Amino acid sequence: MEIYYATVFFIFGTLFGSFYNVVGYRLPRGESIAYPPSHCPKCGHRLSPLELIPIFSFLFQKGKCKNCGDKISWFYSIFEFTTGVLFCVSYLVFGFSIELAIALTFISMLLIVIISDYQTMTIPDELLAFCGLLLIIELSIKNGLNVGENILDGIIMFSIMYLIKILGDKIFKKESMGGGDIKLMFIYGLVLGWPLSCISICLASFIGLPISLIMIKKTHDHEIPFGPFLAIAAIILVIFKIDFNTIINWLTIK
């Protein structure tokens, strides 16, 4: 049964991944996520149900639009597959529990953040508000009245990130960080706690530095979105169930 449920979560993950692509592309542009239906961006061809099957539609169509023959980016299928894997692994790690619901909500938000921030340098407030409220409800089910501690951690993390922004603005004499990153860290505090959220910033910087240097060299654009790196760092921490005490133990091993 374990394999059966893991497969089901993978399949649903690929379906949600396809939807998250749409949300991440349209929401920051102020477009409806429901209308118009999915279509080819070049010729406007409305995709049929068979053309909307995650991963397989790309393979069957050989990466081209059925109507005009325009190439379809491989990124969509990779993103769908990655979302499927993350849903599957989340089930294997947390089982059927409230922790699974929290992990899936948090990871889903982070995946949309990656798409949105990378493409538009924007993290939509609507996304953060919806997922933040949903996570507070889920955390209330898990922790009861102690959810106040989660909210306090969120406020602390928001304040820390805001102070980092102020310091960065003064050092670089320009806006060093977007408001979306600061609001995002409130949700990190909710889910991870403020100590582990600080670790996620360090991990994101470690992941992002070499990639940013490569991107700057290729594009000569010095504005690199930090949200995707923050998202990847948090996903790593959640999937591997790394908490602050675990990190302290690693650091104190003699």
Side-chain angles (χ1 to χ4, degrees), residues 126-146:
E126 301 93 331
L127 171 67
L128 298 179
F130 175 79
C131 291
L133 179 59
L134 184 56
L135 284 165
I136 289 175
I137 293 172
E138 292 168 347
L139 288 165
S140 297
I141 295 173
K142 178 187 176 185
N143 299 329
L145 294 177
N146 290 331

Side-chain angles (χ1 to χ4, degrees), residues 6 10 20 33 36 39 71 77 86-87 101 112 119 154 157 199:
F10 174 79
Y20 295 160
I33 62 175
H39 58 279
K71 287 186 178 181
S77 294
L86 289 174
F87 269 53
I112 297 173
Q119 292 189 348
M157 202 58 233
I199 297 295

Side-chain angles (χ1 to χ4, degrees), residues 139-233:
L139 288 165
S140 297
I141 295 173
K142 178 187 176 185
N143 299 329
L145 294 177
N146 290 331
V147 71
E149 296 179 7
N150 298 93
I151 295 174
L152 179 60
D153 279 342
I155 294 172
I156 292 173
M157 202 58 233
F158 177 91
S159 302
I160 290 173
M161 204 64 168
Y162 185 69
L163 291 174
I164 292 175
K165 170 184 165 52
I166 293 174
L167 180 61
D169 290 351
K170 289 184 177 180
I171 292 174
F172 297 108
K173 307 298 182 182
K174 64 178 182 178
E175 187 175 56
S176 59
M177 186 185 304
D181 294 329
I182 301 172
K183 298 168 189 172
L184 178 64
M185 295 315 294
F186 170 79
I187 300 181
Y188 275 46
L190 275 178
V191 178
L192 302 176
W194 74 263
L196 192 58
S197 297
C198 291
I199 297 295
S200 74
I201 297 175
C202 298
L203 180 57
S205 301
F206 178 78
I207 295 171
L209 180 59
I211 297 176
S212 297
L213 291 176
I214 293 172
M215 292 175 65
I216 290 172
K217 185 176 180 180
K218 285 187 175 182
T219 64
H220 303 290
D221 186 354
H222 291 264
E223 291 189 9
I224 305 296
F226 192 45
F229 303 123
L230 286 171
I232 293 170

Side-chain angles (χ1 to χ4, degrees), residues 108-130:
S108 295
M109 180 198 72
L110 295 172
L111 289 169
I112 297 173
V113 165
I114 291 174
I115 296 291
S116 173
D117 203 25
Y118 176 74
Q119 292 189 348
T120 67
M121 298 283 288
T122 303
I123 300 176
D125 289 340
E126 301 93 331
L127 171 67
L128 298 179
F130 175 79

